């Protein structure tokens, strides 16, 4: 049963999900003086980055969730190559894709697959793979859930201190002063389970 999540001391009934994914472009190592033999995996990753930037712009044009806004993505980590005088055989990019209710691990994987398929169709020398490394689904608490009835309106349900004052323990994930912590929110007396 979804009961909400909190961060920065505010409990919320809805929360964006996220997917972490790794994308690897595969080139061919060759000495820098042998252009015909090398395939630059880092340059090919530049094409992927451009396509991801376009996808993020498209996400901003989609209908917004009433509480969560838009999904998004960003490039988080990148690395590749082995030395200055060699065409890089490999480049790895790690991204984070923030998801909305209705988006799944499969839909995120399909977005990435479509990008790589299109880039491969444009250039036979382009080769890349993608893998989802982590997926946490978005949270959307139904309005008929008991916890949602404790506060007027939907969205921010109240402060963590208020939940504790109601006699419960706090459940969810949060951020206090930059430190990630995990807690549990159970307001048993107020929702009739106590």
């Amino acid at each position: 049963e979804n009961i909400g999540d909190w961060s920065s001391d505010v409990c919320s009934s809805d929360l964006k999900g996220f997917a972490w994914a790794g994308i690897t472009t595969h080139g061919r190592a060759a000495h820098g003086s042998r252009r015909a033999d090398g395939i630059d995996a880092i340059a090919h990753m530049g094409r992927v980055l451009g396509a991801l930037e376009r996808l993020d712009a498209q996400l901003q044009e989609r209908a917004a969730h009433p509480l969560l806004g838009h999904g998004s993505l960003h490039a988080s980590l990148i690395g590749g190559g082995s030395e200055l005088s060699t065409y890089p055989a490999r480049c790895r990019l790690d991204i984070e894709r923030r998801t909305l209710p209705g988006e799944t691990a499969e839909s995120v994987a399909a977005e990435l697959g479509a990008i790589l398929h299109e880039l491969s169709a444009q250039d036979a020398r382009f080769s890349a793979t993608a893998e989802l490394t982590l997926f946490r689904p978005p949270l959307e608490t139904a309005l008929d859930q008991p916890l949602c009835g404790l506060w007027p309106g939907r969205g921010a349900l109240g402060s963590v201190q208020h939940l504790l004052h109601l006699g419960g323990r706090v459940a969810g994930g949060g951020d206090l002063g930059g430190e990630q912590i995990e807690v549990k929110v159970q307001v048993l007396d107020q929702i009739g389970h106590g």
Side-chain angles (χ1 to χ4, degrees), residues 27-41 43-44 47 85-88 123 125:
R28 185 169 54 231
H31 190 272
S33 65
R34 302 182 59 87
R35 184 180 188 281
D37 297 333
I39 298 175
D40 189 337
H44 284 186
R47 299 175 192 178
S85 296
T86 302
Y87 280 85
D123 181 352
R125 290 167 47 102

Side-chain angles (χ1 to χ4, degrees), residues 2-193:
N2 290 335
I3 60 168
D5 195 49
W6 71 277
S7 62
S8 301
D9 196 37
V10 176
C11 185
S12 176
S13 61
D14 296 66
L15 183 71
K16 287 182 181 179
F18 67 89
W20 290 347
I23 301 171
T24 303
T25 49
H26 308 281
R28 185 169 54 231
H31 190 272
S33 65
R34 302 182 59 87
R35 184 180 188 281
D37 297 333
I39 298 175
D40 189 337
I42 294 175
H44 284 186
M45 188 61 78
R47 299 175 192 178
V48 174
L49 286 165
L52 292 173
E53 188 173 26
R54 289 187 294 279
L55 174 58
D56 183 55
Q58 292 167 4
L59 294 172
Q60 306 318 302
E61 294 171 0
R62 293 180 185 171
H65 185 278
L67 293 174
L68 301 175
H70 296 93
S72 63
L73 69 84
H74 65 272
S76 300
L77 301 169
I78 192 167
S82 58
E83 62 181 4
L84 288 171
S85 296
T86 302
Y87 280 85
R90 182 180 177 279
C91 184
R92 165 88 180 201
L93 171 69
D94 290 289
I95 67 165
E96 181 179 69
R97 167 75 163 81
R98 288 291 170 156
T99 60
L100 299 175
E103 295 180 315
T104 63
E106 293 78 16
S107 67
V108 172
E111 287 174 342
L112 299 178
I115 286 172
L116 300 184
H117 177 76
E118 181 180 336
L119 293 172
S120 295
Q122 294 170 3
D123 181 352
R125 290 167 47 102
F126 179 89
S127 174
T129 54
E131 63 172 337
L132 245 52
T133 57
L134 180 67
F135 183 79
R136 187 196 72 194
L139 170 70
E140 187 172 44
T141 305
L143 289 173
D144 62 355
Q145 293 295 313
L147 185 63
C148 286
L150 295 177
W151 289 269
R154 183 156 182 225
L157 296 179
S159 73
V160 172
Q161 282 82 12
H162 185 68
L163 291 172
L164 292 170
H165 177 71
L166 292 173
R169 291 174 300 159
V170 178
D175 180 343
L176 294 177
E179 253 182 79
Q180 290 292 322
I181 62 170
E182 290 197 18
V183 292
K184 290 230 178 235
V185 178
Q186 294 177 345
V187 187
L188 300 178
D189 291 337
Q190 295 296 318
I191 61 176
H193 296 321

